[in-house]
Amino acid sequence: METTDQLLISAILAGDSKSYSVLVNRYKDLVFTLAIRMLKHREEAEEVSQDTFIKVFKSLNRFKGDSKFSTWIYKITYHTCLR
C-alpha cells in the first residue's frame, strides 16, 4: 500500500529520514521537469531541484495540507526558478 504524502510528512517531522527519501523520490521528476522547462539548462535545473528540496525540508512544518503536496512543491520550485 502506498503511503500518503501526509503520513510521510508526519513521519519526517517525527525524525524519520527514510520517509524524506521516499518523498524526494516521489517528486524529483516533477521538480526537475518544471525546472528544466523554465531554465533550459540542465545544470541550473539540477541546482534548483536541490535548492527546492532543501527549502521543502526546512519548511515542511508549515505545510498545512490545504492543497495537495504536489501543488505546494510545484509552487516552491517555480519561485526558486525565478530567483
Side-chain angles (χ1 to χ4, degrees):
M1 181 176 176
E2 188 174 314
T3 308
T4 67
D5 291 341
Q6 195 58 52
L7 289 175
L8 286 172
I9 292 166
S10 295
I12 295 162
L13 293 175
D16 182 5
S17 60
K18 288 182 182 179
S19 291
Y20 188 66
S21 295
V22 172
L23 200 66
V24 168
N25 284 329
R26 188 174 288 178
Y27 290 101
K28 65 184 179 186
D29 291 338
L30 179 141
V31 168
F32 182 74
T33 299
L34 174 60
I36 197 78
R37 284 182 181 166
M38 289 184 70
L39 301 171
K40 310 285 192 236
H41 294 281
R42 183 173 192 82
E43 294 80 18
E44 289 179 26
E46 289 170 351
E47 187 173 326
V48 162
S49 296
Q50 289 178 342
D51 291 348
T52 296
F53 283 109
I54 291 168
K55 288 177 182 181
V56 165
F57 183 77
K58 289 181 176 180
S59 60
L60 204 53
N61 61 334
R62 289 185 274 168
F63 176 68
K64 296 178 178 74
D66 296 339
S67 62
K68 289 172 51 174
F69 184 76
S70 58
T71 304
W72 189 69
I73 198 168
Y74 187 97
K75 185 176 177 182
I76 292 171
T77 306
Y78 179 83
H79 288 288
T80 303
C81 285
L82 295 178
R83 295 182 184 168

